[in-house]
């Protein structure tokens, strides 16, 4: 058993359980002997410390299947991920005993691709080219052409190097994150049993192709859209199936009479029953007959049969639903923010270039000559383009998101698109499922009610007798009923007395009960369990007993319990009620604490459940979530509309008896009130609300369609995983925000200093040194993606006015610090210069140091910086210092003296290409002092309440007039009428409610 993979790790035939003593449920020791062994040896692996992992062979198979030739990975998507292939009808004529051959499988896979719902794989080459596209990058590419025109080959090469560095790092980091996500998705692959080459084989569900003969069995997931052929025990039915497929009308007329009211033309008896609740919302299993379609990802609840796969996953009903939801793509809020920042910086660059050119004309500077000088108008333009456009902005932010996505994947949260991290960080309302997220999704039976004169052990044994004994695919209610016998050893002894099951009738929606007929030592017994009213209706008991039974059921309902009545019948005696089982899905141990934590993070948690309102309220009480829980009908036909309806949704703690359309409506109303909303879901019919929400979350065990429609897929259960992911998302957001502030301040620093220097002194920092400043800024801060970060205690947002205000203040302070140092060189003793130095390189060093250290200011002081960030900045600082000490790219004295006006004493009388060590130490000390002053100013700014709230939007805002107008319009309907002359007309009328329609 230890080598078998559980359902969530790929084997749909296995429950997520293990058994003591290595017992195998497939081993037949007799029905009731197996049942007793199951009860005594059952262990729930959800509480085991052993990790559940894919086997090494599966990992090897996955890596082998993904391996493609390099040129295919570079230039094409491969894998059949193009247009949907229309399956020819002759492909479905496969023999159920022979199946497909290996050659046929490979040929068909080349045309249809793998049987999986995947997003279109990106072309590697086009993806890489994408890192050279965008407003900011186009400006840098213009700078490359300008450098080439000026024959400034050093700058030309370095700028190209900066562009290539950003592209390679960004592409690699995003690819690495995608690989982590892909490997996790591979670990949850389904398995299927097919007939190939004349034998039954177990394969991965993704390897199925149209025409495969698929075996459906109770407890398995339908691994491919398929048409049902015949019962597994009746292979001769294949001939009848072929007759039906070849001439359906003739076959139907032969097997039906005119009096038949069978509109669906079902043939014979049901072969299997499937659970389609995730697709259609039907809570009951649907019977499937010969020729019926079994939908992809539904669960087989009864029976065993052969079916032929008719479509690949993408062509299935689920796949088409997913593609419709995925069709609407948008650039996202994150890209809009980045574009607005980039556009604003470009406008500033153009403005500063104009100012510099005006100053240049005043100083009589030529447009492009002399060619070896930085003091030309085109050189000014080149310098300002380099310093004013943050080429690393899109790449560093993308890298930060990609690294964060890889970290979230390790926490069992698969990020489907990187911008979802930003959305998750800003979420302020979380609409959560109850079952499996807030609760353990593990029914428990509380203290049962036992009828007067009955024994509790007999009642529990009777309940177990009235249950399915198929241990490989137990219904959750049957499972907990049987396992509860662990607490009742005498009930287990009753089961060991020699019972034999004669007939088992599963639950049906008409009788609302399960019935089993058994014999014990030749005596006939009947047992049933089901809805209390249904059980009471077949029993014969006096009025006082009936009233007490009904009152007990009502009391259980008020306490939030689901009730299950139990009755027995001996021989020809009447049915007798013997008790009632109260069932409850308890909250997870950590849920109450997690909800409190979520509320401290500024999140409003709303519970949405399909359960009855009494159960919902009881769960809310246990979780301290608030008891303002309403029935979902209040949303549609409850007589509430307009602003009142919006207020109801906004203030409610939850909704009960919810259907998917209610989820969509809740999300829409919350968004219209200005809330960023996250929605959890698991079914195909949840896809619209997942897509509509700002951050759609597919919870553990969600269908593929729900996963495809969601932004983030969780592989671990519980609300705590979602709240933990929100914290991580806010940390990632904090890193991006710190970098954006830092980068804007850097652009403004050099633009302000250089333009004023050009206009006042007719001086600039050499172009060669400027490109290295840009390179060093990007090299050092790429490591910000790996920095430690704190998370805010409230939902985050960009607050662009606040970012710009603080960045402008920091930019001005940095420019002033550089001017102060430049001004000291005019002092008689040389100011900061000790012994000798080079003005260009001393300015270069000071600018490099204060700019690199600024990231330590904008990141905040709540956490210590990571060693990666500190190490990257120290390396760049060391290189900048070497430039200054050894005089690299210092330029000639003539270049300084001929253009600078007025010339400082140091340049005129003590020119040197190198700088003394003492001077370098002084500049380091000065830069540290500047950084401390800037840090103090930054601290004061962020502590000011009006600055802290600058640009923060109000999350709850009501447009009362518009909401009421929409509310009234929702009650209006177009009605078609015909007057006495036979002319038709359309008139406005009042829309009837559901209750009126029934009447």
């Amino acid at each position: 058993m230890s080598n078998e993979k559980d359902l969530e790790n790929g084997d749909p035939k296995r429950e997520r359980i293990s058994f003591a003593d290595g017992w195998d449920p497939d081993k037949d020791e007799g029905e009731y002997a197996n049942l007793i062994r199951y009860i005594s040896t059952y262990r729930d692996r959800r509480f085991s410390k052993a990790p559940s992992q894919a086997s090494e062979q599966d990992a090897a198979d996955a890596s082998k299947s993904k391996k493609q030739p390099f040129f295919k990975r570079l230039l094409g998507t491969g894998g059949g991920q193009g247009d949907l292939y229309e399956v020819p009808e002759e492909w479905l004529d496969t023999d159920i005993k022979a199946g497909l051959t290996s050659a046929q499988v490979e040929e068909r896979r080349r045309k249809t691709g793998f049987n999986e719902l995947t997003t279109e794989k990106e072309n590697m080459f086009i993806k890489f080219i994408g890192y050279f596209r965008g407003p900011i990058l186009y400006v840098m590419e213009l700078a490359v052409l300008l450098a080439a025109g000026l024959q400034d080959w050093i700058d030309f090469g370095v700028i190209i190097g900066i562009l290539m560095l950003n592209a390679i790092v960004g592409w690699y980091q995003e690819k690495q994150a995608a690989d982590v996500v892909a490997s996790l998705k591979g670990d949850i692959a389904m398995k299927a049993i097919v007939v190939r080459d004349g034998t039954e084989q177990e394969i991965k569900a993704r390897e199925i192709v149209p025409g495969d003969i698929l075996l459906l069995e109770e407890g398995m997931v339908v691994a491919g859209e398929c048409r049902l052929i015949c019962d597994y025990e009746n292979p001769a039915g294949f001939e009848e199936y072929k007759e039906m497929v070849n001439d359906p009308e003739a076959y139907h007329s032969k097997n039906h009479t005119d009096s038949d009211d069978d509109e669906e033309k079902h043939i014979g008896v049901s072969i299997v029953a499937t659970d389609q609740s995730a697709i259609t919302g039907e809570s009951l299993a649907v019977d499937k007959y010969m020729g019926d379609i079994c939908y992809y990802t539904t669960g087989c609840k009864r029976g065993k049969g052969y079916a032929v796969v008719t479509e690949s996953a993408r062509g299935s009903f689920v796949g088409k639903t997913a593609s419709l939801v995925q069709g609407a793509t948008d650039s996202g809020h994150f890209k809009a923010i980045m574009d607005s920042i980039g556009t604003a910086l470009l406008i500033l660059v153009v403005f500063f270039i104009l100012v510099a050119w005006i100053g240049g004309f005043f100083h009589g500077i030529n447009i492009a000559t002399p060619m070896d000088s930085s003091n030309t108008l085109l050189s000014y333009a080149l310098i300002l383009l380099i310093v004013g456009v943050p080429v690393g902005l899109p790449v560093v932010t993308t890298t930060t998101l990609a690294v964060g996505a890889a970290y979230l994947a390790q926490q069992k949260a698969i990020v489907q698109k990187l911008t979802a991290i930003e959305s998750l960080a800003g979420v302020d309302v979380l609409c959560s499922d109850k079952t499996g997220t807030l609760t353990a999704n593990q029914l428990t039976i509380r203290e049962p009610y036992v009828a007067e004169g009955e024994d509790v052990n007999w009642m529990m044994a009777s309940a177990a007798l009235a249950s399915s004994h198929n241990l490989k695919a137990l219904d959750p209610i049957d499972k907990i009923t049987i396992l509860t016998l662990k607490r009742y050893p005498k009930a287990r002894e009753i089961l060991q007395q020699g019972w034999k099951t004669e007939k088992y009738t599963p639950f049906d929606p008409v009788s609302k009960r399960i019935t089993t007929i058994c014999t014990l030592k030749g005596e006939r017994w009947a047992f049933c369990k089901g809805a209390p009213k249904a059980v009471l209706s077949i029993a014969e008991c006096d009025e006082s007993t009936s009233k007490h039974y009904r009152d007990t059921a009502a009391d259980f309902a008020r306490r939030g319990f689901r009730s299950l009545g139990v009755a027995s019948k001996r021989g020809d005696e009447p049915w007798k009620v013997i008790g009632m089982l109260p069932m409850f899905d308890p909250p997870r141990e950590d849920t109450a604490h997690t909800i409190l934590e979520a509320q401290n993070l500024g999140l409003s948690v709303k519970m949405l459940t399909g359960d009855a309102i009494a159960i919902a309220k009881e769960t809310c009480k246990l979780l301290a979530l608030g008891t303002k829980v309403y029935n979902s009908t209040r949303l549609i036909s409850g007589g509430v509309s307009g602003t009142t309806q919006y207020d109801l949704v906004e203030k409610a703690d939850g909704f009960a008896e919810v259907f998917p359309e209610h989820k969509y409506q809740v999300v829409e109303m919350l968004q219209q009130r200005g809330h960023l909303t996250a929605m959890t879901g698991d079914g195909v019919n949840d896809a619209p609300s997942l897509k509509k929400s700002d951050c759609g979350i597919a919870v553990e065990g969600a269908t593929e369609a729900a996963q495809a429609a969601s932004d983030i897929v969780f592989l671990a259960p519980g609300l705590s995983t979602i709240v933990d992911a929100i914290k991580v998302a806010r940390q990632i957001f904090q890193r991006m925000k710190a970098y954006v502030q830092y980068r804007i301040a850097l652009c403004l620093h050099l633009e302000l200093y250089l333009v004023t220097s050009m206009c006042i002194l007719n001086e600039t920092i050499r172009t060669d040194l400027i490109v290295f400043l840009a390179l060093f800024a990007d090299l050092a801060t790429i490591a910000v993606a790996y920095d430690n970060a704190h998370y805010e205690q409230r939902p985050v947002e960009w607050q662009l006015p606040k970012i710009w205000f603080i960045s402008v203040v920091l930019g001005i302070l940095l420019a002033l610090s550089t001017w102060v140092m430049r001004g000291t060189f005019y002092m008689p003793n040389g100011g900061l210069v000790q012994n000798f130095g080079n003005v260009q390189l001393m300015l270069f060093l000071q600018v490099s140091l204060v700019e690199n250290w600024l990231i330590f200011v904008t990141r905040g002081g709540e956490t210590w910086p990571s060693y990666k960030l500190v190490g990257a900045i120290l390396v760049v600082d060391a290189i900048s210092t070497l430039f200054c000490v050894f005089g690299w790219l210092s330029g000639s004295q003539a270049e300084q003296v001929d253009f600078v006006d007025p010339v400082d004493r140091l340049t005129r009388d003590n020119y040197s290409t190198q700088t003394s060590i003492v001077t370098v130490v002084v500049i380091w000390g000065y830069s540290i002092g500047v950084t401390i002053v800037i840090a103090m100013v930054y601290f004061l700014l962020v502590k000011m309440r009006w600055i802290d709230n600058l640009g923060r939007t109000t999350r709850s805002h009501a447009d009362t007039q518009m909401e009421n107008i929409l509310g009234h319009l929702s009650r209006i309907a177009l009605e078609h009428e015909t007057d006495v002359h036979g002319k038709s007309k359309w008139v406005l009328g009042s829309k009837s409610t559901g209750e009126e329609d029934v009447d």
Side-chain angles (χ1 to χ4, degrees):
M1 187 68 183
S2 59
N3 292 327
E4 298 283 356
K5 288 172 64 180
D6 58 50
L7 175 60
E8 289 160 311
N9 283 334
D11 193 344
K13 296 195 299 177
R14 301 287 175 191
E15 298 180 41
R16 198 178 182 184
I17 57 177
S18 62
F19 300 90
D21 305 324
W23 177 64
D24 185 353
D26 291 331
K27 185 178 180 181
D28 189 9
E29 300 176 0
E31 179 182 353
Y32 287 92
N34 278 346
L35 193 64
I36 296 299
R37 190 72 180 270
Y38 177 86
I39 295 168
S40 60
T41 60
Y42 177 88
R43 289 191 310 215
D44 194 332
R45 276 176 53 197
R46 278 176 292 193
F47 304 102
S48 170
K49 294 182 180 179
S52 177
Q53 296 177 338
S55 66
E56 292 182 9
Q57 181 62 42
D58 285 336
D61 291 344
S63 62
K64 182 179 178 182
S65 65
K66 292 175 185 175
K67 191 73 173 175
Q68 293 181 23
F70 174 76
F71 69 93
K72 281 191 176 182
R73 286 182 281 138
L74 181 65
L75 299 175
T77 59
Q81 296 298 320
D83 294 335
L84 194 61
Y85 184 79
E86 187 173 343
V87 177
E89 193 63 35
E90 57 268 20
W91 277 22
L92 309 182
D93 297 335
T94 314
D95 184 81
I96 62 170
K97 290 300 182 184
L100 297 177
T101 64
S102 300
Q104 287 175 312
V105 170
E106 290 302 321
E107 180 188 356
R108 294 183 184 192
R109 185 173 295 128
R110 281 196 294 270
K111 295 179 179 179
T112 63
F114 282 99
N115 181 58
E116 58 187 354
L117 296 182
T118 56
T119 53
E120 191 75 19
K121 293 181 181 177
E122 293 184 274
N123 183 304
M124 288 173 62
F125 181 71
I126 294 176
K127 178 76 174 174
F128 183 71
I129 293 298
Y131 285 96
F132 296 94
R133 296 164 59 186
I136 291 175
L137 294 160
Y138 291 150
V139 173
M140 285 302 287
E141 286 150 19
L142 176 63
V144 170
L145 297 177
L146 190 54
L150 292 171
Q151 297 181 17
D152 192 344
W153 302 118
I154 293 178
D155 297 345
F156 176 81
V158 175
I159 297 171
I160 289 179
I162 293 172
L163 288 169
M164 291 297 295
L165 172 73
N166 282 297
I168 291 170
V169 170
W171 177 83
Y172 175 74
Q173 290 288 1
E174 197 166 348
K175 179 182 179 300
Q176 201 172 37
D179 288 345
V180 171
V181 169
S183 66
L184 269 179
K185 284 188 173 180
D187 286 347
I188 57 173
M190 287 192 299
K191 292 285 184 75
I193 298 176
V194 297
V195 178
R196 286 185 183 171
D197 297 317
T199 60
E200 293 182 8
Q201 303 176 15
E202 186 179 62
I203 62 171
K204 290 183 179 180
R206 72 188 297 266
E207 296 172 359
I208 289 174
V209 295
D212 257 325
I213 299 298
L214 183 64
L215 263 63
L216 301 181
E217 185 178 4
E218 185 175 350
M220 294 180 64
V221 175
V222 179
E225 195 108 322
C226 57
R227 184 191 297 156
L228 205 54
I229 297 176
C230 61
D231 193 280
Y232 185 78
E233 303 297 335
N234 180 32
F238 182 49
E239 296 301 323
E240 188 178 352
Y241 164 80
K242 288 196 292 186
E243 182 184 350
M244 183 191 72
V245 171
N246 292 333
D247 194 349
E249 293 299 327
Y251 182 81
H252 182 264
S253 60
K254 184 174 75 172
N255 288 275
H256 290 72
T257 64
D258 293 338
S259 61
D260 287 338
D261 294 328
D262 191 356
E263 295 181 2
E264 296 186 3
K265 304 182 182 180
H266 287 147
I267 309 300
V269 297
S270 166
I271 299 173
V272 298
T274 60
D275 176 10
Q276 298 182 173
S277 58
I279 295 177
T280 63
E282 298 172 272
S283 58
L284 302 173
V286 178
D287 288 329
K288 296 292 182 179
Y289 300 79
M290 180 185 293
D292 283 354
I293 294 295
C294 296
Y295 295 116
Y296 175 55
T297 70
T298 58
C300 183
K301 290 298 182 184
R302 288 196 302 274
K304 184 176 182 180
Y306 291 104
V308 60
V309 178
T310 58
E311 294 283 356
S312 66
R314 292 190 303 135
S316 67
F317 177 83
V318 170
K320 289 175 180 176
T321 303
S323 66
L324 286 174
V325 178
Q326 286 183 314
T329 57
D330 58 271
S331 58
H333 183 248
F334 176 74
K335 187 175 185 302
I337 292 292
M338 291 299 104
D339 286 347
S340 69
I341 292 172
T343 302
L345 290 174
L346 289 177
I347 293 171
L348 283 174
V349 166
V350 172
F351 169 75
F352 282 119
I353 287 175
L354 288 175
V355 173
W357 279 13
I358 291 171
F361 282 123
F362 177 78
H363 287 288
I365 294 177
N366 296 327
I367 294 177
T369 55
M371 295 293 290
D372 59 345
S373 173
S374 296
N375 286 76
T376 64
L377 295 182
L378 286 181
S379 293
Y380 283 179
L382 176 61
I383 288 169
L384 291 172
L385 285 176
I386 294 169
V387 302
V389 179
V391 65
L393 180 63
V395 174
V396 172
T397 49
T398 300
T399 300
T400 304
L401 289 172
V403 171
Y407 178 78
L408 282 171
Q410 294 171 2
Q411 310 303 311
K412 301 297 182 183
I414 298 176
V415 179
Q416 308 251 63
K417 59 179 183 180
L418 291 180
T419 53
I421 294 174
E422 181 220 8
S423 301
L424 187 62
V427 161
D428 67 310
V429 177
L430 174 61
C431 299
S432 173
D433 278 341
K434 178 183 80 72
T435 306
T437 304
L438 299 178
T439 63
N441 194 19
Q442 189 178 23
L443 287 172
T444 59
I445 292 180
R446 300 298 179 91
E447 193 63 32
Y449 159 75
V450 183
E452 188 176 351
E454 299 293 339
D455 177 58
V456 66
N457 293 290
W458 170 246
M459 194 270 289
M460 293 305 302
S462 299
L465 287 164
S467 302
S468 169
H469 298 161
N470 182 353
L471 304 182
K472 292 191 292 181
L474 281 175
D475 175 88
I477 292 177
D478 285 344
K479 181 177 176 180
I480 191 58
T481 302
I482 291 169
L483 290 176
T484 303
L485 266 65
K486 276 190 173 184
R487 297 170 7 209
Y488 299 93
K490 290 185 179 180
R492 299 203 300 272
E493 290 175 7
I494 295 173
L495 293 182
Q496 293 174 300
Q497 292 176 356
W499 294 93
K500 290 185 180 180
T501 302
E502 300 291 332
K503 183 181 179 183
Y504 169 73
T505 305
F507 179 89
D508 76 84
V510 178
S511 66
K512 295 186 178 179
R513 56 181 176 262
I514 297 171
T515 307
T516 304
I517 297 175
C518 304
T519 58
L520 175 64
K521 299 174 183 178
E523 188 174 16
R524 184 182 177 90
W525 287 82
F527 301 94
C528 82
K529 76 173 189 286
K533 287 183 180 179
V535 171
L536 189 61
S537 67
I538 63 171
E540 293 184 12
C541 51
D542 56 58
E543 182 59 32
S544 62
T545 303
S546 296
K547 184 177 184 304
H548 182 59
Y549 191 80
R550 285 193 294 268
D551 290 345
T552 302
D555 179 58
F556 282 157
R558 279 193 298 271
R559 291 161 59 191
F561 297 152
R562 295 178 182 178
S563 300
L564 203 64
V566 183
S568 66
K569 181 177 184 289
R570 184 174 187 175
D572 295 328
E573 295 178 9
W575 283 96
K576 182 170 60 172
V577 170
I578 55 178
M580 191 184 308
L581 303 176
M583 294 181 299
F584 189 62
D585 182 10
R588 291 179 176 276
E589 292 181 0
D590 63 341
T591 300
H593 174 264
T594 304
I595 287 176
L596 180 61
E597 191 175 16
Q599 291 168 343
N600 290 335
L601 291 172
L603 280 172
S604 170
V605 181
K606 298 182 185 297
M607 182 180 74
L608 304 179
T609 177
D611 283 336
I613 192 164
I615 296 174
K617 285 189 174 182
E618 180 68 16
T619 304
C620 283
K621 286 178 185 176
L622 292 173
L623 297 175
L625 191 57
T627 54
K628 289 185 286 186
V629 181
Y630 304 106
N631 193 299
S632 61
T633 54
R634 293 283 298 273
L635 284 173
I636 296 176
S637 57
V640 179
S641 63
T643 297
T644 308
Q645 190 178 30
Y646 283 83
D647 290 340
L648 176 72
V649 171
E650 196 172 24
K651 295 174 182 177
D653 296 311
F655 289 94
E657 299 177 25
V658 165
F659 288 99
E661 57 267 28
H662 300 140
K663 287 187 176 183
Y664 188 93
Q665 192 175 7
V666 168
V667 170
E668 189 173 45
M669 287 183 171
L670 289 170
Q671 287 177 331
Q672 289 171 357
R673 278 285 172 102
H675 296 283
L676 279 179
T677 307
M679 170 65 74
T680 66
D682 58 1
V684 176
N685 46 15
D686 289 329
S689 57
L690 290 173
K691 197 69 178 179
K692 174 68 176 172
S693 64
D694 299 287
C695 187
I697 297 171
V699 296
E700 182 204 30
T703 60
E704 286 199 49
Q707 291 180 4
S710 64
D711 301 309
I712 300 178
V713 179
F714 283 86
L715 303 182
L719 184 68
S720 60
T721 58
I722 299 173
V723 174
D724 287 344
I726 289 173
K727 291 180 184 176
V728 173
R730 291 186 184 180
Q731 289 175 322
I732 295 166
F733 183 89
Q734 178 61 29
R735 294 187 190 110
M736 290 194 299
K737 197 172 179 180
Y739 176 77
V740 168
Q741 276 187 336
Y742 157 85
R743 208 61 182 83
I744 294 174
L746 259 59
C747 292
L748 293 172
H749 168 205
L750 282 176
E751 285 172 334
L752 290 170
Y753 171 74
L754 291 174
V755 170
T756 51
S757 176
M758 290 169 185
C759 294
I760 298 171
L761 300 180
N762 193 25
E763 177 193 64
T764 182
I765 298 176
R766 300 186 70 243
T767 314
D768 298 342
L769 296 175
I770 288 292
V771 293
F772 275 100
L773 283 173
L775 175 64
F776 291 166
D778 285 342
L779 274 175
T781 52
I782 282 176
V784 78
Y786 301 93
D787 188 26
N788 301 322
H790 71 284
Y791 57 85
E792 289 193 35
Q793 292 296 316
R794 59 179 177 176
V796 298
E797 51 190 284
W798 279 105
Q799 294 179 262
L800 286 182
K802 175 185 174 182
I803 288 176
W804 276 100
F805 181 83
I806 292 176
S807 297
V808 168
V809 172
L810 297 181
I812 291 172
L813 290 175
L814 289 171
L816 287 174
S817 72
T818 306
W819 262 115
V820 167
M821 191 180 97
R822 183 68 183 92
T824 64
F825 299 158
Y826 286 90
M827 297 172 66
N829 63 353
L832 295 180
V833 182
Q834 307 295 317
N835 302 326
F836 58 90
N838 181 277
V839 172
Q840 287 283 316
L841 288 172
M842 287 188 292
L843 288 173
F844 170 82
L845 178 60
Q846 190 269 342
V847 169
S848 178
L849 293 177
V850 295
E851 288 194 346
N852 288 340
W853 296 343
L854 183 67
I855 191 65
F856 294 132
V857 175
T858 60
R859 67 178 298 280
E862 288 83 357
T863 58
W864 288 98
S866 69
Y867 74 91
K868 291 182 179 179
L869 180 63
V870 174
I873 288 177
L874 287 178
V875 168
V876 171
D877 289 345
I879 296 172
S880 300
T881 302
L882 293 176
F883 266 71
C884 186
V885 170
F886 294 106
W888 297 338
L889 302 178
S890 59
S892 63
Q893 184 177 13
E895 189 177 344
Q896 294 282 312
V897 176
D898 293 345
F899 289 96
V900 178
D901 182 26
V903 180
D904 60 274
R905 178 179 176 278
L906 176 68
T907 302
R908 184 178 64 247
D909 302 333
N910 297 296
Y911 177 79
S912 172
T913 57
Q914 299 179 348
T915 304
S916 70
I917 297 295
V918 179
T919 303
V920 168
V921 171
V922 171
I923 294 174
W924 269 72
Y926 173 74
S927 300
I928 291 172
V930 168
T931 304
I932 292 172
V933 171
I934 290 176
M936 293 170 63
V937 172
Y938 180 83
F939 177 79
L940 292 173
L941 288 175
V942 296
K943 288 299 179 183
M944 293 181 184
R945 186 176 294 274
W946 71 272
I947 293 179
D948 190 40
N949 292 318
L950 189 63
R952 181 172 285 276
T953 57
T954 303
R955 289 297 177 98
S956 179
H957 54 80
D959 187 344
T960 306
Q961 187 175 6
M962 181 56 66
E963 288 172 357
N964 286 329
I965 290 172
L966 291 174
H968 291 308
L969 287 175
S970 67
R971 297 180 177 182
I972 296 175
L974 275 176
E975 297 178 355
H976 183 262
E977 294 181 353
T978 305
D979 61 19
V980 292
H981 302 292
K983 293 183 178 180
S984 62
K985 60 180 179 178
W986 293 91
V987 296
L988 289 175
S990 178
K991 187 183 294 184
S992 60
T993 65
E995 288 80 355
E996 290 170 346
D997 291 340
V998 173
D999 296 338

